[in-house]
């Protein structure tokens, strides 16, 4: 489904150059749940951002369903990204002034869709994560685990084929983390491909495959 061929990424600032990824080959299979592990700074987030077309590689190429996206214009990449991927981060990135339901609807504002249809899909997404009864709350009225579930609802509201999660349980206690993990596993069982960065070996063992990153490279 997603193929990275000899992908490298260098970050340049005024003073330093960091080679964050070197010659990475990775094939994310449709329908799998892949866990990505490795020490802090080894390149996991960089890799996830490249898979999700949030950033472009310096060298190498990426294919999404056979499409040569590295050769696409930014506008084409953005369209494909919005149609294909949902993102979840360690910090939930909810908008505090918006109710839960409005936060979840946000990604749909970029699609041509009636307000009623948006509301229906957002409600469905919130029911999927067990928060149908919290739609009119504001984010600060929810626990961390509930906020992350809202973020998952927002990530899946556009029915993405692939869910990318960067340490989604990193800010949660183990019980809330387990609930988030249960939801990701259920979405995966329903057909969504999931790629998740985690530091938790127990979580990683519940997935189909673990990819270990070290110093910008994949290690067996
Ligand atoms: N926007 C950026 N600008 C400069 N350096 C960056 C940037 N993002 C990441 N890096 C560097 O690239 C390396 C990999 O970072 P990252 O992918 O965030 O690692 P991880 O997610 O595994 O902790 C690190 O050395 C980090 O400091
Ligand atoms: Mg990271």
């Amino acid at each position: 489904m997603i193929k990275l061929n000899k992908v490298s990424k260098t970050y340049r600032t005024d003073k330093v150059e960091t080679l964050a990824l070197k010659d990475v080959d990775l094939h994310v299979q449709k329908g799998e749940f892949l866990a990505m592990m490795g020490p802090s700074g080894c390149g996991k987030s960089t890799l996830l951002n490249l898979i999700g077309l949030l950033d472009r590689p310096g060298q190498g190429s990426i294919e999404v369903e056979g499409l040569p996206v590295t050769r696409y214009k930014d506008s084409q990449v953005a369209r494909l990204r919005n149609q294909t991927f949902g993102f979840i981060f360690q910090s939930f990135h909810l908008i505090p002034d918006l109710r839960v339901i409005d936060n979840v609807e946000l990604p749909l504002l970029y699609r041509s869709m009636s307000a009623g249809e948006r509301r229906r899909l957002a409600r469905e997404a919130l029911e999927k994560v067990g928060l149908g009864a919290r739609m009119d709350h504001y984010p600060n009225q929810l626990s961390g685990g509930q906020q992350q579930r809202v973020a998952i609802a927002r990530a899946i509201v556009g029915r993405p084929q692939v869910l990318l999660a960067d340490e989604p349980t990193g800010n949660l206690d183990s019980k809330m983390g387990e609930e988030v993990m249960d939801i990701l596993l259920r979405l995966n069982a329903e057909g969504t491909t999931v790629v998740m960065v985690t530091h938790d070996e127990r979580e990683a063992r519940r997935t189909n495959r673990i990819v270990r990153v070290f110093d910008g490279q994949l290690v067996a």
Side-chain angles (χ1 to χ4, degrees):
M1 145 125 238
I2 303 162
K3 269 195 178 137
L4 277 67
N5 307 304
K6 292 240 171 301
V7 162
S8 298
K9 176 78 190 176
T10 304
Y11 292 109
R12 288 188 182 80
T13 60
D14 293 348
K15 296 193 180 68
V16 283
E17 222 176 69
T18 309
L19 182 53
L21 291 176
K22 308 173 219 183
D23 283 341
V24 170
D25 288 315
L26 176 67
H27 186 185
V28 179
Q29 313 271 353
K30 202 185 211 79
E32 78 172 332
F33 193 149
L34 193 157
M36 220 144 60
M37 305 193 79
S40 174
C42 70
K44 304 179 298 296
S45 295
T46 301
L47 186 52
L48 204 69
N49 290 347
L50 289 173
I51 292 171
L53 312 180
L54 286 170
D55 202 357
R56 287 179 185 273
Q59 283 91 44
S61 63
I62 300 176
E63 285 169 45
V64 175
E65 303 247 64
L67 302 170
V69 292
T70 1
R71 286 194 253 134
Y72 282 19
K73 288 185 294 191
D74 286 348
S75 56
Q76 289 175 297
V77 172
R79 190 171 334 116
L80 189 69
R81 178 175 58 234
N82 291 334
Q83 286 166 359
T84 312
F85 298 98
F87 296 90
I88 309 164
F89 302 95
Q90 181 173 355
S91 44
F92 323 122
H93 293 307
L94 300 175
I95 297 181
D97 297 338
L98 292 182
R99 289 177 307 156
V100 160
I101 183 91
D102 298 316
N103 266 284
V104 174
E105 273 184 37
L106 275 181
L108 300 178
L109 293 178
Y110 305 100
R111 304 202 181 177
S112 51
M113 190 180 277
S114 72
E117 180 71 356
R118 277 202 298 272
R119 181 87 0 159
R120 189 180 68 76
L121 290 175
R123 204 172 274 146
E124 257 178 48
L126 280 165
E127 276 157 12
K128 270 212 152 118
V129 299
L131 287 176
R134 294 282 192 278
M135 292 193 290
D136 294 324
H137 284 59
Y138 285 87
N140 68 7
Q141 297 172 318
L142 302 178
S143 71
Q146 289 172 329
Q147 290 184 50
Q148 189 61 302
R149 280 150 61 195
V150 174
I152 295 174
R154 182 184 54 190
I156 61 171
V157 73
R159 311 250 168 99
Q161 288 173 268
V162 185
L163 206 48
L164 301 177
D166 198 346
E167 303 188 36
T169 64
N171 279 340
L172 303 178
D173 66 33
S174 57
K175 183 173 169 291
M176 289 179 181
E178 205 170 309
E179 283 170 14
V180 163
M181 200 54 205
D182 289 342
I183 290 170
L184 295 179
L185 282 159
R186 202 175 66 232
L187 291 167
N188 176 246
E190 289 169 7
T192 307
T193 304
V194 183
V195 182
M196 173 183 74
V197 174
T198 181
H199 287 294
D200 188 320
E201 288 281 350
R202 255 181 334 157
E203 285 178 5
R205 277 198 298 271
R206 298 179 72 188
T207 70
N208 304 131
R209 178 157 73 112
I210 304 178
V211 163
R212 295 187 193 268
V213 189
F214 190 78
D215 225 356
Q217 296 189 296
L218 304 191
V219 290

